[in-house]
DNA sequence: AAGTAATCGAGACGGTACGTCCGGTCTTCCT
DNA sequence: AGGAAGACCGGACGTACCGTCTCGATTACTT
């Protein structure tokens, strides 16, 4: 897929331009949301021609999500200390904290945009959701092996129960992403899945 | 605010026009999503002038949500049979069923749009979320009074646990809104909150 | 065609805008030729939106020719003094003089553009050529009636002989539109068509 | 200018490429006029890089005219049989015939383009007009020596009278380039310049 | 054989203009 | 006052060419 083809013919893509576009897009995104990250505006801000952006990103959403990941390329480590409640709380609290900042609004808009842009949905699922869910699933599996939680669980459903409330509040805004949220959610889920 | 002014001066608002607009908007919404329900397009389809729409609806989102409720004005009854698990399952299964059809896509787009349109968020919360949550809260309260579930619960958190997975799947599309979903979710939540 | 329809519904067309566009287009046309009279540039200069221009003029050429006639709306009178040689010379000399100024370059470009824009050709023929040829034909007909020139002439060919050299020099630029040109051309033609 | 430099260093220009470009340009020119003969399109069609074209031709017009001459490299012989009327008619009729075909439209567009491209005008005059006018002038001069026409004539004006009507009709399109045109024009001119 | 020099294909890039869509606002007349 | 019709500005869209640029590969002539 990305095997080093050796030097391809033609002028190579300018890394300078790639970065300028991503930075400009991230800036606009944070300043004024997705609406402000129009191709036109990003091109102007980055000092780059529109065509160049269109050559590399198929849509505003695709660019926005690249810019988002570029700006918020987080470590995304998931410690496995053996204390399931603590590990899950830590991980989810980190998500809550991130979403409380500007990144939350941007992510909410990206999810919103994905409703009318299937490609964007794909990217979101594969680059954002999937890694987090895989890490979480691993932790849960090990907890099951340790006998801490039941073994007959549908992990996908469990993870929905863990993550959904965060995204739900983010998207609907009916309640804040408060400090205790992560803890409460994890507690509620564990109450249901713990071995008795 | 809505005191009966008695017959106000001037030409009264045309009910015919109101309906034509809502029907046209709903049609476009279903055919092509929010993007297709532009004020321009709806006006053309309804045979109505743009200004008339602007007079009565502040934005595309506001119009869309009105059209949504106009088309899918559902009964939204919530039976309280005394069997908590059944009542909750019934209610949530109804939501899942509704979201599986075209209404789901539209609702997803409306939630998406609300991310950049605070007014739309308000309407969504007050006219869509709130009634459902109030009915659900009443049922839960009565179950607590009957001693079926713990009394120290934060009902808001419980309702998040009940509803969030549905919206989460709707919005992220990482997993289908399958038939057993409602039952599984309710089961999971009850496992955690039932009196032991 | 332009019967007074009575007051048509809707906001009436703004005369201010119409004039601003024509003046701006004429300015650009004279400053930098057809190339400078881009819709974009004219809109900017006139303080008018592009869409407004597109609503009223189908193409750059159509706008340019309107602007040309707006700026150079000449009297186009053709005196018939009874002295054929003088009348023709006067008329053609006026054309030569006009074409020697900036109007010449613009007209040349318009004719050029008409080669790839049939609509523009139509306008040019009906609004520019036809009136001049009709007036000239009338003068020639009266001269024939007076017995000054032969009566068996194909007037269209005669008029081609009169006008063609002017446009030929304008378009090809192989020789100047000098002062004596009109006189020489008329003399040459009359030598051939005068009654002997 | 084109002295044989002897073998210059470096890779010699590829004749294959030169021909491919000219053929491609001529094709596009005939299919869709000057507009279709964009450098971009010609390069694509010829399987040649844009830069290569830019290296050898300064502009679209220059390329177009080269392509025109390449495709329509005509013999351009001018017989001098001693019969002036016939010789002129033959020559001009050949021009009319050529212009009636596709070459006419192309030539018209080239003349049009020359209005905003001085270089193109130069090429048109030196490579197209001049040779024809020189041959015609020679014929006329010999006729004057034979005493067939007046000797005090300004040959440039006479040639304008001969050729202008053809180009005039080509450019303005107000009348067709019909069969008798050449004959009529020559007759008209000779009527005026013949010795009496 | 190594070096030098030009040609060529491929393709990235900034820029200008294109013609279109939609959002909002406005003006006018009609009901 | 409500409503239809439609003109208007502004902003963005996605596309077409322009002319320039950076590469690597090729093809000759010159030491």
């Amino acid at each position: 897929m990305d095997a080093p083809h050796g030097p391809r013919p033609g002028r190579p893509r300018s890394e300078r331009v790639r970065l300028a576009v991503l930075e400009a897009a991230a800036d606009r995104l944070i300043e004024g949301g997705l609406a402000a990250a129009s191709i036109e505006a990003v091109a102007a801000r980055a000092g780059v021609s529109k065509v160049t952006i269109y050559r590399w990103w198929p849509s505003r959403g695709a660019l926005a999500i690249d810019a988002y990941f570029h700006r918020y390329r987080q470590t995304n480590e998931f410690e496995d200390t053996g204390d399931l409640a603590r590990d899950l709380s830590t991980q989810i609290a980190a998500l809550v904290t991130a979403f409380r900042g500007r990144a939350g609004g941007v992510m909410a808009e990206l999810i919103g945009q994905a409703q009318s842009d299937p490609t964007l949905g794909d990217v979101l699922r594969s680059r954002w959701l999937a890694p987090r869910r895989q890490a979480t699933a691993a932790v849960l599996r090990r907890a099951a092996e340790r006998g801490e939680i039941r073994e007959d669980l549908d992990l996908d459903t469990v993870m929905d129960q863990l993550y959904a409330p965060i995204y739900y509040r983010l998207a609907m805004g009916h309640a804040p992403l408060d400090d205790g949220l992560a803890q409460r959610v994890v507690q509620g889920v564990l109450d249901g899945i713990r071995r008795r």
Side-chain angles (χ1 to χ4, degrees), chain A residues 85-185:
Chain A
R86 218 188 84 189
D87 288 352
L88 290 176
S89 287
T90 303
Q91 179 72 356
I92 292 183
L95 190 69
V96 168
T97 304
F99 280 177
R100 252 202 311 245
R102 283 198 243 263
V106 174
M107 175 55 75
E109 282 204 296
L110 288 176
I111 295 173
Q113 185 67 14
Q115 304 313 319
S116 49
D117 180 349
T119 314
L120 187 50
D122 292 342
V123 177
L124 224 40
R125 280 187 291 276
S126 62
R127 291 187 54 188
W128 177 260
L129 275 196
R132 277 155 191 77
R133 288 177 75 95
Q134 276 159 18
T136 310
V139 167
L140 288 172
R141 253 191 306 274
R142 279 192 292 271
E145 284 161 15
R146 287 195 307 266
E148 205 172 344
I149 59 175
R150 302 207 310 265
E151 281 182 327
D152 62 332
L153 292 167
D154 176 12
L155 290 190
D156 273 326
T157 301
V158 173
M159 285 188 293
D160 281 1
Q161 290 174 330
L162 285 169
Y163 284 114
I166 314 302
Y167 287 92
Y168 182 51
R169 289 201 171 186
L170 176 69
M172 303 303 285
H174 61 290
L177 292 165
D178 58 89
D179 281 329
L181 182 59
Q183 217 272 323
R184 282 201 314 281
V185 166

Side-chain angles (χ1 to χ4, degrees), chain A residues 14-90:
Chain A
S14 159
E15 184 65 10
R16 208 206 86 245
V17 162
R18 197 185 69 88
L19 290 178
V21 169
L22 289 177
E23 295 291 352
D27 288 350
R28 303 288 302 177
L29 217 41
I30 287 168
E31 284 167 28
L34 243 189
S38 68
I39 303 277
E40 201 108 1
V42 172
R45 172 75 71 99
V48 147
S49 102
K50 280 200 296 176
V51 178
T52 301
I53 297 186
Y54 282 114
R55 198 192 315 281
W56 300 109
W57 290 276
S59 69
R60 179 196 299 220
L63 170 56
I65 209 164
D66 258 25
Y68 181 90
F69 288 139
H70 176 71
R71 179 62 54 91
Y72 301 111
R73 52 182 165 248
Q74 55 289 82
T75 44
N76 187 31
E77 295 306 323
F78 201 141
E79 254 188 313
D80 189 349
T81 64
D83 179 346
L84 181 63
R86 218 188 84 189
D87 288 352
L88 290 176
S89 287
T90 303

